[in-house]
Amino acid sequence: MKPVRHIVIVGGGTAGWLTAGVIAAKHRARMPGGFSVTLVESPNTPIIGVGEGTWPTLRATLARMGVSETELFRQCDVSFKQGAKFARWTTGADDDAYYHPLMLPQGFQQLNLVPHWLAGKDGRSFCDAVSPQGAICEDGLAPKTMATPEYEAVANYAYHLDAGKFAPFLQKHCCETLGVRHVLADVQEVKRAENGDIASIVTPQAGEIEGDLFVDCTGFRSLLLGQALGVPFKDCSDVLFCDTALAVQVPHEHENSPIASHTISTAQSAGWIWDIGLPTRRGTGHVYSSRHISDDEAERELRTYLGPAGKDLPVRKIPIRSGHRETFWKHNCVAVGLAAGFLEPLESSAIVLIELSAKLIAEQMPVCREVMDVIASRFNATTDYRWGRIIDFLKLHYVITKREDTAFWRDNLLPETIPDRLRDLLTLWRYQSPWFHDEFDRVEEVFPPASYQYVLYGMGFHTEVEPGALTADARIAERALHENRVQTDRLRVGLPRHRDLIRRIVDHGLQAV
Ligand SMILES: Cc1cc2nc3c(=O)[nH]c(=O)nc-3n(C[C@H](O)[C@H](O)[C@H](O)COP(=O)(O)OP(=O)(O)OC[C@H]3O[C@@H](n4cnc5c(N)ncnc54)[C@H](O)[C@@H]3O)c2cc1C
């Protein structure tokens, strides 16, 4: 039996440090017995430094690692994120906007409110009828108060953060508190064992580093899994067309400018612009399809969106490639983060996938090499399922649009660009709304049926309702819809302004759990 004791992570971006932290926190008790986590990071290759929108899972991930939420706010320029507002995605008109909030619809575990909302037609959007969060965001309010302890929420939330500050913040915690060994060195060679495993990595600065399990977090390079082990890349640009991003950081007008507590995503002629408010600046960028628009035209659209605030600010161009590795864990090497793949950041799905992968590796950590292939095969099945479902969900935003004003939007509607599962579900959802029966049967679905409901009905999708189907749940539904009105009114008066709460957290700190 060959025990798995030495974990070597290559790459010190968000993926590397989150994976190191999750594994080290879970296996800390084994460290005196020789279990070790080493993170090797190039001193010459910078991290990607973008990726500012997260998912609510990050709260539990950081709490499990023992990170203080107050320190996160103090050191990473953090604001709250309560969902995303999608503007101009349906018709392209000025008043075309809807929310995908992070709170589940009222009573979600008990009943599906969609048919009742459709039948009621009281003029409220789906989001406003079933959740208070759109109204909280519109009012510029925070999702909790100073009396809410660390990581707990009044309204469900994630974070917006400065990606350039987040990795060093995690690094400090991992090395000082969780016992992770940090090696600054360039991997120049990967040595293989007879059975195909990675035996060691070779660096000029720290020599040869051996390990039992290697985690590839080297970003787009995919140095270990892609290059050394030759696992092919599965391109999905035939489904998701965007292949370039232009990123620009915009200062706030003044230090008291309101901060949106949601990501704003505004559709353009051949892509969309993200707009994320941090306490000290906005992080914005244009993600677009270079097959449909030139770089110059894309930059012009971005500058028009930013107005005078964006004049003369430097723009950083980042080529992106939609898709993922054919398998994620091969031999004794598993890829996490950009090394595993990338999809346009429309729903901030990258960091949450990193968290889920890190958690799966930590929880299923093979005790010995002999069982690793069984765990790898499960990991591959689960991860492949997740990527597939995310691709479906991102494509959903493009296929129920009524926009046909440019080739980009028209091409997105071509049937051959729509994955089979999504096409079948869209047929089904004309007659019944998304629900758990639609194969959302994994323990940790990245996007539950509620997410599909918010996007579909936010974009005016029509589902036929059979009147007879409503009677059984009518009273419970009525109560839930009423409860939502009451809760919305209560929260709109009870929650503090977003910037005010962040300031108070930084100055005074939240109650530690
Ligand atoms: C435009 C854009 C917007 C995005 N927005 C979001 C978002 O809103 N939400 C979200 O969840 N995600 C987003 N992402 C994705 C997110 O940025 C990444 O998933 C995240 O930053 C993780 O990156 P990484 O750690 O995998 O790679 P990187 O940050 O690129 O880190 C790679 C690491 O590998 C190291 N390395 C490379 N070569 C070697 C070598 N030879 N030897 C040793 N070390 C080496 C580097 O030094 C570095 O430390 C976005 C991505 C892009 C491109």
Side-chain angles (χ1 to χ4, degrees):
M1 188 180 105
K2 187 174 181 297
V4 173
R5 284 214 193 101
H6 302 295
I7 315 303
V8 177
I9 296 166
V10 184
T14 301
W17 286 113
L18 270 178
T19 307
V22 170
I23 294 177
K26 176 84 186 163
H27 293 274
R28 253 182 113 189
R30 294 174 63 196
M31 286 190 180
F35 186 89
S36 69
V37 180
T38 303
L39 187 143
V40 182
E41 175 187 12
S42 163
N44 301 305
T45 309
I47 63 170
I48 190 142
V50 283
E52 306 192 319
T54 66
W55 207 237
T57 44
L58 191 56
R59 283 159 41 209
T61 300
L62 295 177
R64 268 196 301 270
M65 283 168 58
V67 168
S68 146
E69 191 178 36
T70 298
E71 286 309 311
L72 178 76
F73 273 87
R74 285 182 179 153
Q75 295 183 37
C76 300
D77 203 12
V78 172
S79 60
F80 290 101
K81 171 180 169 180
Q82 301 191 65
K85 181 177 185 177
F86 291 92
R88 297 177 191 265
W89 280 80
T90 311
T91 62
D94 285 350
D95 62 349
D96 162 19
Y98 71 95
Y99 275 96
H100 173 195
L102 298 180
M103 284 174 88
L104 293 172
Q106 292 283 347
F108 189 68
Q109 303 307 338
Q110 247 188 315
L111 89 164
N112 183 351
L113 278 178
V114 172
H116 302 273
W117 167 74
L118 283 170
K121 288 201 177 69
D122 68 353
R124 282 184 304 166
S125 69
F126 177 67
C127 174
D128 285 345
V130 304
S131 151
Q133 205 148 27
I136 297 173
C137 290
E138 282 296 292
D139 289 355
L141 302 177
K144 66 196 281 181
T145 72
M146 279 304 281
T148 325
E150 285 203 331
Y151 295 119
E152 287 183 21
V154 173
N156 196 17
Y157 69 86
Y159 310 104
H160 290 136
L161 45 81
D162 182 331
K165 293 181 174 163
F166 189 47
F169 172 74
L170 292 173
Q171 173 193 320
K172 191 164 183 291
H173 182 78
C174 286
C175 295
E176 291 178 2
T177 312
L178 297 175
V180 175
R181 188 166 76 100
H182 186 200
V183 178
L184 276 173
D186 291 285
V187 175
Q188 287 190 339
E189 191 192 338
V190 177
K191 285 197 178 166
R192 308 282 296 276
E194 263 176 26
N195 66 353
D197 278 9
I198 295 178
S200 63
I201 49 175
V202 184
T203 74
Q205 298 96 331
E208 195 167 336
I209 299 168
E210 294 183 345
D212 301 316
L213 174 66
F214 288 83
V215 188
D216 185 350
C217 297
T218 57
F220 285 132
R221 280 172 198 78
S222 196
L223 204 67
L224 307 187
L225 191 81
Q227 291 187 30
L229 300 189
V231 174
F233 186 81
K234 207 161 129 187
D235 188 286
C236 74
S237 55
D238 53 333
V239 178
L240 298 169
F241 305 156
C242 292
D243 61 4
T244 315
L246 296 177
V248 54
Q249 298 184 353
V250 185
H252 284 300
E253 215 173 300
H254 49 81
E255 62 174 11
N256 289 322
S257 295
I259 309 166
S261 68
H262 50 279
T263 302
I264 302 162
S265 157
T266 307
Q268 304 295 312
S269 69
W272 54 278
I273 288 174
W274 81 79
D275 192 337
I276 285 179
L278 301 183
T280 63
R281 61 164 171 84
R282 282 154 65 201
T284 68
H286 190 177
V287 181
Y288 58 94
S289 159
S290 67
R291 278 182 282 162
H292 293 90
I293 192 177
S294 69
D295 292 344
D296 286 348
E297 191 54 35
E299 185 172 335
R300 248 194 308 282
E301 285 190 6
L302 179 58
R303 293 207 185 270
T304 304
Y305 172 87
L306 295 173
K311 197 164 177 288
D312 302 329
L313 290 175
V315 167
R316 176 179 164 211
K317 182 176 165 184
I318 308 169
I320 54 183
R321 191 175 169 207
S322 282
H324 57 83
R325 295 286 146 190
E326 273 179 12
T327 52
F328 307 92
W329 190 328
K330 186 174 177 189
H331 297 304
N332 64 340
C333 173
V334 54
V336 178
L338 298 174
F342 179 77
L343 299 171
E344 60 183 83
L346 185 58
E347 286 279 4
S348 304
S349 49
I351 296 172
V352 57
L353 264 184
I354 293 170
E355 295 171 63
L356 290 170
S357 296
K359 190 167 165 234
L360 201 52
I361 297 166
E363 285 179 359
Q364 294 278 301
M365 180 62 70
V367 174
C368 58
R369 179 62 187 89
E370 284 71 12
V371 297
M372 194 181 285
D373 294 344
V374 180
I375 288 164
S377 150
R378 276 200 221 154
F379 182 93
N380 284 329
T382 303
T383 310
D384 192 63
Y385 168 84
R386 286 181 177 147
W387 282 91
R389 279 242 107 130
I390 295 173
I391 292 168
D392 286 356
F393 185 59
L394 297 184
K395 184 67 176 179
L396 178 76
H397 296 67
Y398 292 101
V399 295
I400 46 175
T401 182
K402 295 181 182 67
R403 286 187 71 150
E404 296 202 21
D405 49 310
T406 63
F408 173 79
W409 294 99
R410 288 191 298 273
D411 289 352
N412 259 299
L413 298 174
L414 294 173
E416 63 271 25
T417 73
I418 304 173
D420 292 347
R421 178 173 47 200
L422 178 61
R423 206 179 39 235
D424 288 349
L425 286 171
L426 283 167
T427 306
L428 183 70
W429 291 336
R430 285 206 218 114
Y431 303 97
Q432 59 190 65
S433 53
W435 199 235
F436 294 99
H437 315 297
D438 302 331
E439 295 173 354
F440 293 99
D441 48 11
R442 300 286 170 124
V443 179
E444 289 173 310
E445 287 285 349
V446 178
F447 297 107
S451 292
Y452 286 79
Q453 294 183 348
Y454 283 125
V455 173
L456 281 173
Y457 303 110
M459 293 185 76
F461 186 84
H462 184 71
T463 302
E464 285 295 330
V465 185
E466 277 211 42
L470 297 178
T471 44
D473 293 331
R475 297 248 321 265
I476 312 175
E478 223 170 87
R479 260 207 309 275
L481 293 170
H482 174 72
E483 172 55 28
N484 187 57
R485 283 178 202 273
V486 174
Q487 198 186 5
T488 303
D489 292 344
R490 187 162 41 81
L491 293 180
R492 289 179 83 171
V493 291
L495 289 170
R497 301 205 69 72
H498 187 205
R499 187 182 277 285
D500 292 346
L501 181 67
I502 295 170
R503 200 170 274 148
R504 292 190 65 194
I505 292 173
V506 169
D507 289 349
H508 306 291
L510 286 163
Q511 252 175 273
V513 267

